[in-house]
Amino acid sequence: MIKKEYKIKNLHCAGCAAKIQNSFERLEGVKECNIDFYNKKLYIGLESLNDKENFLDLLNRVADKIEPGTKIEDISEEINEENIEEESEDNKKEKILLLLGIVFFIISFLIKSEKLKDIILIISYLIVGYDIVLKAIKNIFKGKLLDENFLMTIATFGAFGLKDFSEAAGVMIFYKIGEFFQDLAVENSKKSIKELMNIKPEFANIKRFDGKLEKIDPKLVQIGEIFVVKPGERIPLDGVVVKGISTIDNSALTGESVPVEITEGKEVFSGGINESGLLEIRASKNYSQSTVNKIIELVQNAGNKKAHAEKFITKFSRYYTPIVVGLAVFIALILPIFVGNFQLWLSRGLIFLVISCPCALVLSVPLTFFSSIGKGSKLGILIKGGNYLERLDNIDKVIFDKTGTLTEGKFKVKEIVPVNCTEEKLLELGKAGEFYSNHPIGKAILDYKNVEVEEGNIEGYIEKPGHGIIARYLGEEILVGNLKLLKEFNIVVPEENETDTVIYIALEKVYMGKIVVADLPKPSSKKTIEDLNKIGIETYMLTGDNEKTAKKIGDMLSLNIKNIFYHLLPQNKVEILEKLKKDNSKGVIFVGDGINDAPVLALADVGVAMGKMGSDIAVESADVVLMNDDPYKVVELLQLAKKNKRVVWENIILALGIKIIVMILGVLGLADLWMAIFADVGVSILAVLNASKILRSKTL
Ligand code: ADP
Ligand code: MG
């Protein structure tokens, strides 16, 4: 399938967005379609490559029919500054007209003469609602009868027909005020999410040969170039500090407010703020690969993956409106044929028309997911889509990887035990083997003591996941890894009862000795397991490490011994995950660091990866990324999912509940158009505010 992304302009009505999405889905060749109303983006999945120009044209024609003025553009076309200004001009004009209309409306009450009063009310109505009436008329010619504009026009014309001029004008004003506040609420939550994502570095101070600094776009910086970050500035690209000492505030990335101390040789991440000293940093990644850009992309694309609830609401709105309009027609035109009193039933029927828009739902349900995803990133939890949040609500098992996930993943060499050589020689062989390794064990051995190994002497490096390394050093075969690796080569190793992780080393099939390394649990791991168990979630630990180490760590974390699996290769982890998924389980989360567990991350119902230390492929195969590598974030993630669900339901019940009540009151003659308008826009505003409270509230 080919995926395409477009920008949508001038799309202001969420209901229309849903309709446009429905129509696009039915176009030939379209397999998937999603409109992200808040970011004004359109995602389309196509069966095959098509004629680009004509297709865009077709999309525009379809969209324009539904909401006149909508424009769909290729994402590559840059945002035009003028356009943005134009829109705010429009907004200003609308505000002034609305105010003017309200003034006329108030004046009408001061006037005694009925005739003059009605004229002033008509003027007020036209000032405020002329654009709605115009759009409605245009839509009639396009055969679109059920949009908001049309319904408002009919309802207010109905009021005129019933000679209630002040109701007609008042209802139109009330509707416009409602729309205004609704836009404001949406804008505000959009703004707070934007602010959250306001981590984009604006420039990089590149150090030129003559030592002068030059401000350039971070996108232009090449790997290996040196840039300077002054105190208070944002780090533009990922890199390694070559000069300077400072503390860095990474809170925008990780949600963690304690600053990190940085010295020469330390790795730093783009998006963090340099708090004190002057830093010189060598870029280790270009902008597109840097942390900050990845986070921004990830969160922006989250709207692309919609939750069932969002899809359901879009579908629901397809049926809701015609049914309620049908009821309106029945009450206003058909019922009085049998019971008489046309005027009475007409006014009651109009109420149905006003509340037939499912706006509150169409607007607030996606906004709720949007707010939750925003809240997540504030906490250092990046959620790749609303669908994952929804799935997280139904989880009964959490499976953790050990190394780097529940433990620090920072091994320290504890002991070197040579057998057929000196300690120095054993360490040299270990370092030669691990020379290219990114595994935490490899790094520990490389970091230990000053024994030099020349890169030129290493050949044929192979890293066997879950086993270790096979390579040639000075022309001889070396093996550096666990028992499994050495057994595979039929090398006899004296087995001992180790409770730490042991790396065995062999040279030319002869056992040379072992290096013992140890790794401790992260401070929050135990509480994570306990709190998950408290809410009835079963916790598991999988590891490629040996039985003793696995059990020791499991014991320290008070994990159930039955739930500890060891000696696993990446494919064994997959098998265990699949088995646990089948054991009449509701849903399984896998939490890993991506080293040797990318396949499990991808296969779990929800895969959660450690973002900072974890490998890039983990971040890609996972559904959720934890920026500060803290396993406790899994508990927060589940709380967030729960809150998200509650707010979605609150909004559905609020919106539909109030509408149904007003419908019933309307039939009984106990509700008027004013109440109907409240049930429409008033509820939308409440629902939008309710959705955005997730983002505003300090707690989960
Ligand atoms: P975990 O499942 O705990 O995250 P891994 O799957 O990454 O652990 O590794 C499992 C085991 O494989 C390690 O405990 C170690 O014995 C061995 N191993 C993997 N990579 C290496 C390496 N580069 N050097 C030495 N041993 C390794
Ligand atoms: Mg691991």
Side-chain angles (χ1 to χ4, degrees), residues 567-579:
H567 279 317
L568 302 175
L569 297 176
Q571 60 267 34
N572 304 136
K573 292 187 184 174
V574 171
E575 283 157 21
I576 292 180
L577 178 90
E578 290 195 322
K579 195 178 154 290

Side-chain angles (χ1 to χ4, degrees), residues 15 103 167 223 292 322 333 358 424 456 523 609 677:
V103 171
E167 182 157 272
I223 293 176
V292 78
L333 304 176
E424 253 74 52
I677 290 277

Side-chain angles (χ1 to χ4, degrees), residues 39 112 156 217 258 311 357 368 473 523 586 633 650 664:
N39 291 311
K112 291 263 149 59
T156 47
D217 187 335
V258 183
K311 288 188 193 148
C357 178
T368 310
Y473 179 59
K586 286 194 276 179
K633 294 281 169 192
E650 275 168 13
I664 294 169

Side-chain angles (χ1 to χ4, degrees), residues 401-405 439-440 542-544 573 592-597:
D401 169 55
K402 178 178 77 75
T403 313
T405 304
H439 197 282
L542 308 190
T543 178
K573 292 187 184 174
D593 65 346
I595 296 176
N596 297 340
D597 51 26

Side-chain angles (χ1 to χ4, degrees), residues 401 403 434 437 439 463 466-467 469 482 543-545 573 596:
D401 169 55
T403 313
E434 301 287 0
S437 170
H439 197 282
E463 181 151 0
H467 287 88
I469 313 279
N482 52 17
T543 178
D545 211 341
K573 292 187 184 174
N596 297 340

Side-chain angles (χ1 to χ4, degrees), residues 333-611:
L333 304 176
I334 300 177
L335 202 61
I337 296 176
F338 304 104
V339 297
N341 207 343
F342 272 88
Q343 195 161 347
L344 176 87
W345 290 109
L346 181 64
S347 79
R348 290 182 185 180
L350 292 180
I351 291 169
F352 274 67
L353 277 187
V354 173
I355 54 179
S356 66
C357 178
C359 290
L361 290 175
V362 177
L363 208 61
S364 74
V365 172
L367 187 64
T368 310
F369 281 92
F370 198 55
S371 302
S372 298
I373 290 172
K375 175 76 178 181
S377 42
K378 219 173 183 169
L379 294 167
I381 304 170
L382 304 186
I383 304 159
K384 289 196 188 168
N387 51 339
Y388 304 119
L389 257 182
E390 203 170 45
R391 248 185 266 165
L392 276 164
D393 181 64
N394 201 13
I395 290 292
D396 59 353
K397 287 178 184 140
V398 178
I399 307 173
F400 292 93
D401 169 55
K402 178 178 77 75
T403 313
T405 304
L406 287 175
T407 68
E408 295 282 357
K410 279 182 210 128
F411 285 89
K412 279 228 161 68
V413 173
K414 266 179 88 176
E415 213 188 338
I416 299 180
V417 188
V419 175
N420 293 322
C421 62
T422 63
E423 195 176 306
E424 253 74 52
K425 182 68 188 170
L426 189 68
L427 192 58
E428 185 186 334
L429 294 176
K431 285 199 174 190
E434 301 287 0
F435 200 86
Y436 300 104
S437 170
N438 266 325
H439 197 282
I441 293 179
K443 286 190 172 158
I445 295 177
L446 287 171
D447 283 346
Y448 187 70
K449 267 197 189 164
N450 275 339
V451 170
E452 290 300 318
V453 171
E454 271 199 37
E455 187 174 1
N457 295 332
I458 304 164
E459 297 167 317
Y461 173 91
I462 300 168
E463 181 151 0
K464 243 185 133 200
H467 287 88
I469 313 279
I470 308 155
R472 299 194 78 80
Y473 179 59
L474 293 165
E476 294 180 306
E477 183 191 70
I478 47 174
L479 303 174
V480 183
N482 52 17
L483 268 184
K484 233 185 240 164
L485 180 75
L486 273 80
K487 276 193 181 147
E488 209 168 277
F489 285 79
N490 296 319
I491 298 164
V492 186
V493 178
E495 266 185 68
E496 285 155 66
N497 259 351
E498 292 284 359
T499 53
D500 287 313
T501 303
V502 184
I503 305 306
Y504 300 91
I505 297 175
L507 181 68
E508 287 287 313
K509 305 261 186 314
V510 180
Y511 175 56
M512 303 298 281
K514 62 183 182 184
I515 297 178
V516 182
V517 294
D519 178 26
L520 286 173
K522 289 180 186 169
S524 61
S525 294
K526 187 164 183 199
K527 191 164 163 48
T528 306
I529 303 284
E530 284 170 353
D531 283 9
L532 286 173
N533 293 343
K534 248 184 245 161
I535 52 172
I537 288 176
E538 192 84 11
T539 46
Y540 297 81
M541 182 175 86
L542 308 190
T543 178
D545 211 341
N546 67 51
E547 177 178 352
K548 287 269 158 147
T549 320
K551 286 190 172 156
K552 185 183 83 180
I553 300 280
D555 193 43
M556 287 166 94
L557 301 178
S558 46
L559 267 160
N560 186 339
I561 193 144
K562 283 201 312 255
N563 294 348
I564 300 173
F565 298 86
Y566 38 85
H567 279 317
L568 302 175
L569 297 176
Q571 60 267 34
N572 304 136
K573 292 187 184 174
V574 171
E575 283 157 21
I576 292 180
L577 178 90
E578 290 195 322
K579 195 178 154 290
L580 289 176
K581 254 169 116 173
K582 269 196 212 122
D583 284 351
N584 69 43
S585 140
K586 286 194 276 179
V588 176
I589 299 181
F590 180 82
V591 193
D593 65 346
I595 296 176
N596 297 340
D597 51 26
V600 221
L601 274 174
L603 270 173
D605 291 312
V606 179
V608 179
M610 301 287 153

